[in-house]
Amino acid sequence: MEITQRPRRLRGNDVLRKMVREVRMDKSSLIYPMFVREGSNIKEEIPSMPGQYRYSVDRMEEKLTELCDAGVCSVMFFGIPDKKDELGSGAYAQDGIVQKAFRKARQVCPDLYLIGDVCMCEYTSHGHCGVLCGQEVDNDRTLELLAKTAVSQAQAGADMVAPSDMMDGRVAHIRKALDGNGYVNVPIMSYAVKFASSFYGPFRDAAGSAPSFGDRKSYQMDYHNRREAWKEALLDVQEGADILMVKPAMAYGDLIREIKERTHVPVAAYSVSGEYAMVKAAAQSGYIDEELVMCELAVGAYRAGCDIYITYFAEGLAKCMDKGIIG
């Protein structure tokens, strides 16, 4: 049979398949999200996220060391304070839980790249991502507190800050505050395209950050909208964002691709708690192979165009790269 084009020629063996692979992943692009809480000698499993834990600062070292040994060199901290108030003062306190975590991590694992999530929801008594005016989040009053939070994290040792609040103008406000305090070289990874998603449920359980009333749809994005995603991304680039994030990852590959093509900055994708929990639950029920599905989801995000992958599976993915399953 005369067939000139035979794509199967390049699939003949594993060496050849890897040689012509279009998407290549590297451990340096992985970021592990880590929950830290007040207290001592605490390592408590998160019920909705099997295999993930909340750590007290004095127990962080064991996990940070595991990550370093696996080759995961970047961690993003999410704090769980003992006390909350209407202004989320724990977010920007010099002795706040995340600030203490940065200082400890810098001592025990000096080569780790440390990133701070900048938001108010874990720290406010009402669970919303900013200051309230009645039943609404006051965008402009919130900007000042976000800027204070970013500066306090940089002072504590953060290499990068990542605002996740979705307030208008936050990137410019944070950039001005960082620069004004001498942190001109601290990059901003903006949660630029963050949707009001049902995939966040396990995270809210893990961080105790569910809103006490209403929802976050007045500031997080409607997942029906594509052009609004471009608008948000382009505005953040204009305001000084160094990296743009799309969140969640799994159901938003089209937007990862489009943001990648329409901007000139690196693009991150956050594979969120609901994605992790679904894989875990299906694997525990025997419906899927956890390792293979974990890898396939990651490759899908990179294939869509992400340069950076934020995932609770970071350590597992790094080990799969060592095995040659992905990479």
Side-chain angles (χ1 to χ4, degrees):
M1 183 175 293
E2 294 185 6
I3 302 176
T4 303
Q5 298 293 329
R6 291 184 180 267
R8 287 184 57 190
R9 289 192 191 107
L10 299 181
R11 303 174 196 155
N13 61 59
D14 195 47
V15 172
L16 182 57
R17 287 191 294 271
K18 290 180 180 178
M19 184 188 303
V20 300
R21 189 169 277 173
E22 297 175 26
V23 174
R24 299 185 184 273
M25 299 165 56
D26 188 87
K27 294 178 184 179
S28 63
S29 66
L30 298 172
I31 297 174
Y32 178 72
M34 187 169 177
F35 298 98
V36 290
R37 59 159 299 170
E38 297 283 6
S40 60
N41 195 31
I42 295 172
K43 178 185 177 182
E44 55 185 13
E45 189 168 25
I46 300 164
S48 56
M49 299 176 68
Q52 299 301 309
Y53 297 84
R54 305 179 191 94
Y55 296 87
S56 55
V57 169
D58 61 325
R59 291 289 301 274
M60 288 168 40
E61 185 174 358
E62 59 190 84
K63 183 60 181 180
L64 297 179
T65 301
E66 282 181 14
L67 292 166
C68 289
D69 289 346
V72 177
C73 53
S74 300
V75 175
M76 183 154 60
F77 285 130
F78 296 86
I80 306 166
D82 273 349
K83 297 179 181 179
K84 305 184 180 190
D85 57 45
E86 290 191 359
L87 298 179
S89 60
Y92 43 87
Q94 290 300 310
D95 61 347
I97 179 59
V98 160
Q99 287 78 3
K100 288 189 285 190
F102 281 128
R103 295 186 184 101
K104 181 67 172 180
R106 185 62 67 212
Q107 290 174 3
V108 300
C109 293
D111 294 332
L112 270 177
Y113 194 83
L114 305 177
I115 304 165
D117 175 77
V118 177
C119 195
M120 310 297 295
C121 62
E122 296 114 299
Y123 304 92
T124 55
S125 52
H126 44 76
H128 280 283
C129 299
V131 181
L132 292 183
C133 180
Q135 298 288 296
E136 299 293 329
V137 174
D138 187 322
N139 188 97
D140 294 3
R141 285 179 63 203
T142 299
L143 297 182
E144 293 293 335
L145 301 185
L146 294 170
K148 285 179 65 175
T149 300
V151 170
S152 74
Q153 291 184 358
Q155 290 171 337
D159 295 299
M160 178 187 290
V161 295
S164 61
D165 54 282
M166 289 301 288
M167 298 297 115
D168 294 337
R170 81 273 178 74
V171 173
H173 219 77
I174 290 171
R175 184 74 272 158
K176 182 179 179 180
L178 288 171
D179 292 355
N181 283 273
Y183 296 104
V184 295
N185 292 320
V186 172
I188 297 173
M189 176 168 62
S190 170
Y191 287 65
V193 182
K194 179 180 179 181
F195 290 91
S197 172
S198 298
F199 284 97
Y200 303 152
F203 176 95
R204 291 173 182 171
D205 172 44
S209 62
S212 60
F213 66 89
D215 54 41
R216 296 180 177 141
K217 292 181 179 178
S218 67
Y219 41 102
Q220 295 178 1
M221 291 174 53
D222 183 344
Y223 58 74
H224 294 79
N225 297 347
R226 291 172 60 236
R227 289 181 298 173
E228 185 182 16
W230 310 337
K231 179 180 179 180
E232 288 278 9
L234 293 172
L235 282 172
D236 282 4
V237 171
Q238 291 171 15
E239 292 181 19
D242 301 284
I243 299 170
L244 300 174
M245 186 197 300
V246 177
K247 180 185 180 186
M250 184 171 68
Y252 297 88
D254 58 325
L255 291 172
I256 296 171
R257 169 56 55 189
E258 292 184 29
I259 300 304
K260 177 75 169 181
E261 291 179 347
R262 289 170 178 267
T263 64
H264 58 271
V265 299
V267 176
Y270 193 152
S271 181
V272 299
S273 58
E275 299 172 48
Y276 174 88
M278 288 194 301
V279 172
K280 281 290 188 180
Q284 288 174 355
S285 296
Y287 299 147
I288 61 170
D289 183 305
E290 178 180 321
E291 187 173 77
L292 295 180
V293 171
M294 168 187 76
C295 291
E296 191 169 340
L297 286 173
V299 171
Y302 284 92
R303 190 179 63 244
C306 82
D307 305 288
I308 298 163
Y309 194 51
I310 305 163
T311 173
Y312 303 95
F313 283 123
E315 186 177 347
L317 288 169
K319 292 177 179 177
C320 285
M321 291 180 193
D322 289 337
K323 296 176 186 177
I325 297 173
I326 53 173

